[in-house]
Amino acid sequence: MSVTLADIDTLDQAYASGDLEASSKEPLFAHDESLNKRISLYRGDITKLEVDAIVNAANRSLLGGGGVDGAIHRAAGDELYDECKTLDGCATGSAKITKGYKLPSKHVIHAVGPIYDDEEDERCAKLLKSCYDTSLELAVENKLSSIAFSGISTGIYGYPLDAATHIALRTTRDFLTSEKGSSISRVIFTVFRSIDVNSYKKILPLYFPPAPAPSEPKEDAAQPAEESKEKEKTPSAI
């Protein structure tokens, strides 16, 4: 059974239900209600999502592999493999788009993330950012309005989870607030492991914070003169 956009809470709904809480740290950006209605965190099977495109954490051959990559190819059927064979692979940091075939998703965007090397952290960060940028650009070019990301490079490619989450969220926010990003109405970060859920729940409020809590009215320390005098006349009960 497929999962539709209506089945997945947006961030403003998640904050309202208490499923997502404000960070104890100072947010990096101000609250933006319109953005919070365009972002979701979903824990489940990305192959079940009925969206315009799901983003596959692919390898350079684009011909399938383990983990999410293999699951997407199995669910889409042999026709996905056949189309991917015509694409001549994909460079690291880039992405290519195919049809979704037997998937509920109309398209698959195959993004090739970097294999993490801590001695080349800056290069890896640029390549991972490029995966998200290119995927979003492909969605816009193909007039797609909803896109679901899997965790790019955070599995066997070894990218540190929190660092990858920061890149995913910052890149997505920058894109959505740009002119070309206005046509994207929904971005879903799809996770499965509890460690991934915890990372996103910790970092999401820094980039997409909830509305500030209403401030408590301060008591007026200065009492009216007549009230003070009245209190002085009234003996205190002991």
Side-chain angles (χ1 to χ4, degrees):
M1 184 175 177
S2 61
V3 178
T4 69
L5 291 176
D7 298 322
I8 303 172
D9 282 351
T10 56
L11 290 192
D12 61 330
Q13 292 171 320
Y15 283 126
S17 69
D19 189 50
L20 188 62
E21 298 179 351
S23 175
S24 58
K25 297 180 179 178
E26 185 72 21
L28 300 173
F29 296 91
H31 167 69
D32 186 326
E33 185 177 356
S34 64
L35 279 178
N36 286 2
K37 292 180 182 296
R38 297 164 70 190
I39 300 290
S40 294
L41 175 63
Y42 173 69
R43 183 178 189 179
D45 185 350
I46 198 169
T47 69
K48 303 296 184 185
L49 295 185
E50 189 176 324
V51 292
D52 290 337
I54 59 173
V55 179
N56 179 23
N59 58 46
R60 293 180 64 179
S61 74
L62 303 185
L63 300 180
V68 172
D69 188 11
I72 288 173
H73 271 267
R74 287 191 296 273
D78 292 341
E79 290 172 302
L80 177 60
Y81 178 84
D82 292 340
E83 183 177 358
C84 284
K85 281 174 65 177
T86 70
L87 299 180
D88 195 27
C90 182
T92 301
S94 191
K96 293 187 177 181
I97 189 168
T98 65
K99 295 178 183 177
Y101 298 103
K102 294 179 182 178
L103 291 161
S105 173
K106 296 174 185 175
H107 296 84
V108 180
I109 294 173
H110 306 264
V112 182
I115 297 172
Y116 185 72
D117 182 345
D118 58 3
E119 293 183 358
E120 297 189 12
D121 180 77
E122 187 174 342
R123 182 185 69 87
C124 290
K126 288 179 179 178
L127 289 169
L128 185 57
K129 179 183 185 302
S130 180
C131 285
Y132 285 94
D133 272 328
T134 308
S135 296
L136 290 162
E137 286 167 2
L138 281 172
V140 172
E141 288 170 12
N142 288 273
K143 296 180 170 54
L144 311 180
S145 63
S146 58
I147 181 170
F149 283 100
S150 58
I152 302 171
S153 284
T154 57
I156 60 171
Y157 281 13
Y159 211 105
L161 183 54
D162 283 358
T165 302
H166 275 285
I167 291 170
L169 296 178
R170 179 60 183 259
T171 306
T172 299
R173 185 186 173 98
D174 287 348
F175 191 91
L176 291 182
T177 54
S178 70
E179 185 176 350
K180 60 184 174 182
S182 61
S183 63
I184 302 290
S185 62
R186 198 75 169 274
V187 177
I188 302 167
F189 294 101
T190 309
V191 294
F192 190 76
R193 304 176 303 174
S194 59
I195 189 173
D196 299 308
V197 176
N198 293 338
S199 179
Y200 271 91
K201 284 192 171 185
K202 175 177 63 178
I203 298 171
L204 266 167
L206 299 177
Y207 292 90
F208 304 94
S215 56
E216 294 289 333
K218 294 182 180 179
E219 274 191 38
D220 191 352
Q223 296 175 328
E226 289 185 8
E227 185 181 343
S228 290
K229 289 179 181 177
E230 189 62 33
K231 286 189 175 181
E232 286 175 10
K233 294 178 184 178
T234 307
S236 59
I238 299 177

